Amino acid sequence: MAVAPPSYCFVAFPPRAKDGQVVFGKNSARPRDEVQEVVYFSAADHDPESKVECTYISIDQVPRTHAIVISRPAWLWGAEMGANEHGVCIANEAINAREPASETEALLGMDLVRLGLERGTTAKEALDVIVALLEEHGQGGNYYEDANSCHSFQSAFLIVDCEEAWVLETVGKYWAAEKMTEGVKCICNQLSLTTKIDAEHPELRSYAQSQGWWTGEDEFNFSEVFSPADGHLACCSGKDSLEKQEEIITVQTMIDILRDKASGICVDSESFLTTASIVSVLPQNRSSPCIHYFTGTPDPSRSIFKPFIFVEDVKLVPKAQSPCFGDDDPAKKEPRFQEKADRRHELYKAHEWARAVLESDEEQGQKLRKTMLELEKQGLEAMEEILTSSEPLDPTEVGDLFYDCVDTEIKFFK
C-alpha cells in the first residue's frame, strides 16, 4: 500500500476562533517536485446533456456551477483545496484504509473537492454532492503523475462554511460524516471518526459486517472498523498543535501553525513537501466578505500568503497558472505520464530563486525572509481593515487583489 502523504487540514470555530469568524487552513503535502497552481473559475451556465471532463473520467454536468478559486496539482482537473463564492471551503486528505483503494480510473478525491465547490452553496450541500457522486462513479486512479506505479488512496474531506463543518471519511463508495459547529478540528492522512457519526452511507454497517470487520454487537467505531489491519494510528500532531493554542485562533495563528516544521505539519521530507497552502477566514456576519489566502508556492515557512476575495470581476492571474499542454499533455495521453512536462508557472520560478537564497545564504536569507513577512503583513492588515470596516466592500478595489499580490511578489524576487 502506498504511503499516504501527510497533509493537514484545520478548522476553528468561535469561541476558539476570533469572535464571529471561522478559520480554515490546509497544508498540501505532495511529491516534492510537483507544481501547484492557483486558478479562478467564474460561475457558469451549462447546456443540458453537457459533460464535464474530470481528471480521468467524464460525468454529467449540472445546469450551473458556482465561481471557485482552487489550489491544485497542475496536471489534474480537481483541487487539493479551495473555496467558492458562497463561502464554502473544502480540503481533502489521501488516506489508507483496511480496503485498498481502487486503481481503476474513476473520480479522484481531488476531483470531488472541486465538484463539491462547484455544486454546493453550503457545507452540507457540498457533502451531499460528494457522496452522491461517489455512489454513482466511485473513486480510484493514480494520485501522482507517475508512470512507474499507481498510488491510489481512499479520501477524507473537511467541508466548511461559516455555520458548520463536516468531516467526511470515505472507503470506496461507503462513508461516514461528523458535523461540528464549535471548537477546533484537524484531519490528517488517517481515519479519525469514531462513534459520533451524524450521517452515513445506508449500507455502511452491513458492509462492515459482511467483510467480517464488525460483529454488529460492539459499538460501531468507524476508524476502528475501517483503519488498516496493522492498527489504528495515533492521533495526528496537528490536533495537538491546534488544541494547545491558548490564544484566540486568527488567520495569523493558522499561518503560524502551517509553518511549523518541528511538529511535522509543514512537511519537508525526502519524498514529500508541502507544495501549497491555504488559510481562509469566513465571517459569520454575512455582510463581511470571506477572505482566502493562498501561497501558490512550496513550503509555507518560505512563502507569502496572498489574499483573494470573490467579486463580480476577478482579474485572472496567469502568472500563478501553469502552462497548458492541451491534448499533448502527458497526463491526458494514454498510456499516461510517459513524459514529465515542465509545469512551473512564473510565480513558482521566481520563488525557486527565493527558496535557494533562504536555504544557502544566511545573511541574505534572513533579510529576504524579513521583507517577505513584511509584504505578507501589509496584506493581512489591509484585509483586517476590510473585515472590521462598517463600509460596504467596493468590488472594484479587490477584483485585482490576488493579481497585484502575485505581481508584487514576482517583482520583489527579481
Side-chain angles (χ1 to χ4, degrees):
M1 214 180 265
V3 177
S7 295
Y8 289 91
C9 308
F10 301 93
V11 66
F13 281 85
R16 293 296 307 281
K18 193 172 175 179
D19 190 34
Q21 295 181 353
V22 178
V23 185
F24 165 87
K26 178 182 176 183
N27 267 354
S28 170
R30 299 281 303 169
R32 285 194 72 89
D33 59 350
E34 187 178 79
V35 177
Q36 279 201 41
E37 57 179 352
V38 178
V39 198
Y40 167 80
F41 294 96
S42 54
D45 294 311
H46 305 280
D47 296 334
E49 311 291 304
S50 62
K51 296 277 187 188
V52 55
E53 207 172 298
C54 303
T55 303
Y56 297 129
I57 63 167
S58 289
I59 65 170
D60 291 338
Q61 185 54 287
V62 288
R64 184 169 177 82
T65 48
H66 309 310
I68 62 168
V69 62
I70 55 176
S71 184
R72 66 173 179 188
W75 63 272
L76 53 77
W77 179 85
E80 274 282 293
M81 51 217 178
N84 72 18
E85 61 184 304
H86 301 288
V88 178
C89 294
I90 310 180
N92 85 310
E93 292 283 346
I95 47 177
N96 289 322
R98 200 166 204 165
E99 180 168 299
S102 167
E103 294 188 2
T104 306
E105 291 186 349
L107 290 173
L108 287 175
M110 291 159 292
D111 293 336
L112 291 162
V113 170
R114 177 168 171 182
L115 290 161
L117 291 170
E118 287 187 338
R119 301 176 179 199
T121 56
T122 63
K124 179 62 169 67
E125 232 175 71
L127 179 138
D128 292 340
V129 164
I130 290 171
V131 299
L133 289 166
L134 262 183
E135 184 69 31
E136 190 177 349
H137 302 285
Q139 58 181 320
N142 205 342
Y143 260 63
Y144 303 151
E145 202 178 3
D146 183 352
N148 300 318
S149 62
C150 182
H151 310 263
S152 60
F153 300 101
Q154 309 288 9
S155 311
F157 304 86
L158 183 59
I159 310 169
V160 180
D161 63 27
C162 67
E163 288 174 12
E164 61 186 37
W166 286 85
V167 176
L168 168 63
E169 297 185 344
T170 69
V171 178
K173 67 173 187 175
Y174 299 98
W175 57 274
E178 179 187 356
K179 174 181 166 176
M180 59 174 291
T181 53
E182 57 183 28
V184 296
K185 187 78 181 177
C186 164
I187 68 166
C188 55
N189 61 347
Q190 59 205 39
L191 296 173
S192 67
L193 298 181
T194 55
T195 54
K196 183 184 180 294
I197 296 173
D198 296 306
E200 65 186 76
H201 188 284
E203 291 154 26
L204 176 72
R205 295 178 195 223
S206 55
Y207 179 70
Q209 269 184 289
S210 73
Q211 299 296 308
W213 298 337
W214 182 54
T215 60
E217 287 160 21
D218 319 335
E219 187 175 22
F220 185 79
N221 180 317
F222 183 80
S223 53
E224 274 181 16
V225 171
F226 284 100
S227 287
D230 52 11
H232 180 47
L233 300 159
C235 139
C236 62
S237 56
K239 188 165 180 280
D240 296 344
S241 294
L242 202 54
E243 285 176 356
K244 275 184 195 146
Q245 292 296 329
E246 284 170 16
E247 75 266 29
I248 294 291
I249 293 162
T250 61
V251 168
Q252 187 62 62
T253 327
M254 191 64 83
I255 288 174
D256 294 343
I257 289 172
L258 297 184
R259 284 184 167 145
D260 183 2
K261 284 197 169 164
S263 67
I265 290 168
C266 179
V267 176
D268 190 351
S269 67
E270 254 179 70
S271 10
F272 298 116
L273 181 66
T274 298
T275 54
S277 307
I278 182 177
V279 171
S280 294
V281 57
L282 315 175
Q284 293 182 311
N285 167 5
R286 290 181 183 270
S287 62
S288 294
C290 298
I291 303 176
H292 312 283
Y293 298 86
F294 291 90
T295 58
T297 53
D299 189 347
S301 72
R302 295 170 176 157
S303 290
I304 299 174
F305 283 82
K306 299 166 279 292
F308 175 97
I309 296 176
F310 282 95
V311 285
E312 275 303 309
D313 287 315
V314 169
K315 188 170 182 181
L316 299 178
V317 188
K319 290 175 181 175
Q321 283 178 240
S322 296
C324 180
F325 299 96
D327 292 338
D328 290 332
D329 195 312
K332 290 193 175 143
K333 290 195 297 197
E334 294 193 42
R336 298 190 200 277
F337 315 128
Q338 297 303 299
E339 300 151 41
K340 200 82 167 168
D342 182 358
R343 301 188 188 275
R344 293 172 305 158
H345 44 75
E346 208 173 318
L347 174 64
Y348 187 97
K349 288 178 179 172
H351 184 259
E352 278 182 313
W353 169 83
R355 271 165 71 201
V357 171
L358 289 164
E359 278 166 30
S360 59
D361 184 326
E362 200 172 326
E363 194 182 333
Q364 199 191 350
Q366 279 178 342
K367 222 156 96 183
L368 176 63
R369 183 174 163 73
K370 198 176 160 195
T371 319
M372 286 170 76
L373 289 174
E374 193 50 50
L375 263 181
E376 182 181 272
K377 187 169 168 240
Q378 288 169 15
L380 288 167
E381 285 171 355
M383 294 306 101
E384 190 54 39
E385 274 178 36
I386 287 175
L387 288 175
T388 50
S389 166
S390 53
E391 297 295 307
L393 181 72
D394 178 356
T396 58
E397 283 186 9
V398 295
D400 49 8
L401 177 65
F402 189 69
Y403 180 96
D404 287 345
C405 291
V406 168
D407 210 44
T408 305
E409 183 176 339
I410 290 172
K411 283 178 182 151
F412 160 70
F413 289 149
K414 284 179 175 170

